[in-house]
Amino acid sequence: MRRIFSRRLLLLFAAAVGGVLAWAWWWRGTAVTVEVARFAPLLETVVSSGRVRAPAETLLGPTQTARVTATPVAEGRAVARGDVLLRLESEEAAAAEAQASANLAAARAARAEAERQLARQRELFAQGFVSRAALDAEGLRAEQARRQADAALAQLSASRSRRGQLTLRAPDDGVLVRRDVDVGDVVAAGRGVLAFVAAGAPEIRLDVDERHLARLAPGQAARVAADAYPDAPFDATVARVAAQVDRDRGTVEVALVPRAPPAWLKSGMTVSAELVVARRARALLLPAGALVRHDGAAGVLLLNGRRLVFRRVDADTPRDGRVEIRHGLSGGERVVVAPPGLAPGARAREVSP
């Protein structure tokens, strides 16, 4: 009998101790990680890679088939507008110009003779030796000779222009970046044989992941480093953002213009760039996991003493695991970082992360 009584007392004691422990555990609350909301400067960047592109690359070539006679400019050399880049010669063009020159000489001689005859007829008409009809006929012959001389001159000008097209000149200040022919080569009409790059600041073309599209805008600052010169970064500015996304690669093209392009920057170089897409003196950032929803509203749970309190907030889209709180917090609040399924009013206690 005593054993039964003792066993009951032991069970009651154990139950009481368990209840006390459970109450103590409830009183302490669920362990949560807390971060104090603080304002700090915000600098958000997007990193991408791309290549240097010349401002304008032109492919030059002859308008008629001809043979290369001179290549006065070497590849990579800077030239001024109008400098001769390539000379070509065509026997057909030379013969056409020679024939036109001969035709002009003959037409001018015929015009001179016709004008002398007209002057003589005028004298004879004044003396009454020829009729008005004869004078008019001589005038028509002189007019026809003048027109033939003008036509011959136009023909010679056209021949010279066609032959002049066999001399390829720089369309602007720039650099001859490539020449695909040498002296003696025959070049077909319409074939591009010279690659010319106009002078001016080069562009940098980046392929940025389309998920950053909403954050990109012309005028944003960027820092660029070439793979060939990683220790010499330079500043650039976003000039434009493409109007469409490459659906195959899921990227959008962004063009940068260097503010002071280094002398070693060349077309085709591979570069990496960091674009500043957001910069503010004061921003409140929290881990994205701190956001919760309660009664259809977005907010955070604050640890107030040992109780969780819901605070409604206006938050930006989470990026890289962090979220900016636009409104709702004033700083100094103890925000639960990752609430383990707790509701407002629940008891909780802070633990070190």
Side-chain angles (χ1 to χ4, degrees):
M1 192 71 175
R2 289 181 177 179
R3 289 182 179 178
I4 295 173
F5 181 74
S6 298
R7 188 174 297 171
R8 289 178 177 176
L9 286 177
L10 185 59
L11 292 173
L12 289 174
F13 178 76
V17 171
V20 170
L21 292 175
W23 179 85
W25 180 262
W26 173 85
W27 178 258
R28 293 182 65 195
T30 303
V32 294
T33 302
V34 171
E35 181 171 321
V36 178
R38 291 189 178 91
F39 287 93
L42 171 66
L43 180 67
E44 292 187 51
T45 62
V46 170
V47 177
S48 184
S49 61
R51 291 191 179 275
V52 179
R53 292 281 298 275
E57 183 171 311
T58 306
L59 198 60
L60 306 176
T63 57
Q64 50 193 310
T65 300
R67 181 176 54 85
V68 178
T69 59
T71 56
V73 179
E75 292 182 352
R77 179 181 168 186
V79 295
R81 181 186 182 92
D83 284 354
V84 176
L85 305 180
L86 196 68
R87 292 189 186 277
L88 303 102
E89 187 59 85
S90 167
E91 295 180 359
E92 181 181 351
E97 183 178 346
Q99 183 62 52
S101 180
N103 292 342
L104 177 61
R108 284 176 171 172
R111 181 186 64 185
E113 178 61 24
E115 288 176 348
R116 282 194 298 270
Q117 291 296 330
L118 178 61
R120 179 175 174 78
Q121 290 296 95
R122 284 173 177 167
E123 291 178 359
L124 294 175
F125 176 77
Q127 297 173 10
F129 292 112
V130 297
S131 65
R132 166 62 67 178
L135 177 62
D136 291 343
E138 197 63 43
L140 289 176
R141 283 192 290 271
E143 179 62 24
Q144 183 179 10
R146 284 194 291 269
R147 290 179 180 177
Q148 289 175 344
D150 290 342
L153 178 61
Q155 182 183 12
L156 178 60
S157 297
S159 297
R160 286 175 175 173
S161 177
R162 285 193 295 271
R163 194 172 182 186
Q165 292 172 8
L166 297 175
T167 299
L168 303 187
R169 299 179 180 273
D172 207 338
D173 297 346
V175 177
L176 178 65
V177 295
R178 191 181 73 254
R179 173 168 47 78
D180 297 333
V181 292
D182 291 311
V183 173
D185 292 343
V186 176
V187 184
R191 176 190 168 194
V193 294
L194 302 177
F196 175 81
V197 173
E203 281 191 344
I204 295 167
R205 305 284 181 87
L206 306 175
D207 290 324
V208 182
D209 194 300
E210 66 174 310
R211 62 192 176 93
H212 301 301
L213 178 57
R215 307 166 67 191
L216 301 172
Q220 292 173 334
R223 190 73 168 165
V224 183
D227 288 359
Y229 298 88
D231 298 328
F234 55 92
D235 294 325
T237 303
V238 175
R240 63 184 179 277
V241 180
Q244 62 183 9
V245 173
D246 187 320
R247 63 181 182 181
D248 294 326
R249 295 185 296 172
T251 59
V252 60
E253 186 179 74
V254 177
L256 307 181
V257 175
R259 296 180 183 175
W264 45 258
L265 195 65
K266 299 182 182 299
S267 178
M269 276 185 165
T270 301
V271 298
S272 297
E274 185 176 19
L275 285 66
V276 179
V277 297
R279 188 198 301 268
R280 284 190 289 280
R282 278 170 49 89
L284 199 158
L285 296 178
L286 290 174
L291 290 178
V292 297
R293 297 195 69 84
H294 180 65
D295 291 339
V300 296
L301 289 176
L302 307 180
L303 185 59
N304 186 6
R306 288 187 177 270
R307 293 282 184 181
L308 295 181
V309 178
F310 178 77
R311 176 73 63 81
R312 186 170 181 170
V313 298
D314 179 13
D316 201 354
T317 303
R319 300 187 185 97
D320 301 325
R322 305 286 288 181
V323 63
E324 182 181 1
I325 306 300
R326 300 283 190 174
H327 302 287
L329 298 178
S330 57
E333 295 89 346
R334 300 166 66 206
V335 181
V336 179
V337 173
L342 299 177
R347 298 189 67 82
R349 57 188 175 86
E350 179 181 353
V351 295
S352 301

